[in-house]
Amino acid sequence: MKFAYTIAPGRGETNLLLADIAAQLADRGVRIAGTVQIDSDREDGGKCDMDVQVLPDGPTIRISQFRGVEARGCRLDTDALEQAVALTEQALTKGDIDLLLVNKFGKHEAEGRGFRDAIAMALQADIPVLVGVNKLNRDAFDAFSSGGAEELASDAGSVLAWLNGALPELT
């Protein structure tokens, strides 16, 4: 089983790392399913807008809801996230995928939804899986993966080294 995850220390750093990795792999012809997250600052000072780009060439979907500058609590638009999940699962079903990349194992996945089934589908099909993990949901990820996922340092060199071993077409 080729299953790995990374947790970058700073806010948004995992998103940037995985987007960079996805771009490098796409340039090398690797067929990727999944998502990368793009955060955009808001001019009104509110929390950033969160979008996911569905890989390899799917739509960009806004997964955050703006609830006002002073709003607190979860901003995730679960319906939008599930749209990205459905598109990812369709790509996995069609085949010809070399890697599943999931930008974040977050609260939705920790609660049993989101990309959990897509990850399981990929692993059952012997497709390597790379996941960004939210520190707050690390315990839920460990329970989900049953300790079978390899932790990678949060730098491009470490992630690419793992991918070179997981994806024979890269070597």
Side-chain angles (χ1 to χ4, degrees):
M1 179 168 65
K2 300 171 186 172
F3 188 15
Y5 69 99
T6 189
I7 303 174
R11 183 183 264 305
E13 289 181 18
T14 302
N15 297 335
L16 295 172
L17 171 64
L18 294 180
D20 176 55
I21 294 295
Q24 288 186 51
L25 294 176
D27 287 346
R28 294 168 76 177
V30 177
R31 299 165 300 181
I32 309 169
T35 55
V36 292
Q37 184 170 318
I38 303 119
D39 295 331
S40 305
D41 291 332
R42 296 183 55 87
E43 290 183 19
D44 59 14
K47 290 186 176 184
C48 68
D49 289 322
M50 300 179 299
D51 300 307
V52 290
Q53 171 68 48
V54 179
L55 302 169
D57 53 8
T60 298
I61 301 171
R62 171 85 20 107
I63 61 167
S64 62
Q65 302 174 65
F66 181 67
R67 297 183 176 181
V69 175
E70 301 298 322
R72 300 285 179 252
C74 184
R75 303 176 301 129
L76 180 66
D77 180 339
T78 56
D79 290 338
L81 179 64
E82 289 300 332
Q83 180 184 358
V85 169
L87 292 168
T88 298
E89 290 176 353
Q90 286 174 9
L92 288 168
T93 301
K94 289 178 185 174
D96 294 331
I97 298 298
D98 299 317
L99 173 71
L100 174 64
L101 190 154
V102 176
N103 65 290
K104 184 190 307 178
F105 187 95
K107 181 180 179 182
H108 204 54
E109 287 75 19
E111 293 173 345
R113 296 182 301 271
F115 283 96
R116 291 171 72 109
D117 288 346
I119 293 168
M121 286 173 63
L123 292 172
Q124 287 175 349
D126 201 30
I127 297 169
V129 176
L130 175 61
V131 179
V133 175
N134 178 318
K135 288 180 186 180
L136 298 174
N137 298 303
R138 169 75 183 271
D139 290 343
F141 177 78
D142 288 342
F144 168 73
S145 68
S146 300
E150 179 179 347
E151 183 173 8
L152 306 175
S154 59
D155 64 85
S158 297
V159 174
L160 288 170
W162 181 82
L163 287 165
N164 283 332
L167 298 169
E169 58 274 11
L170 288 181
T171 55

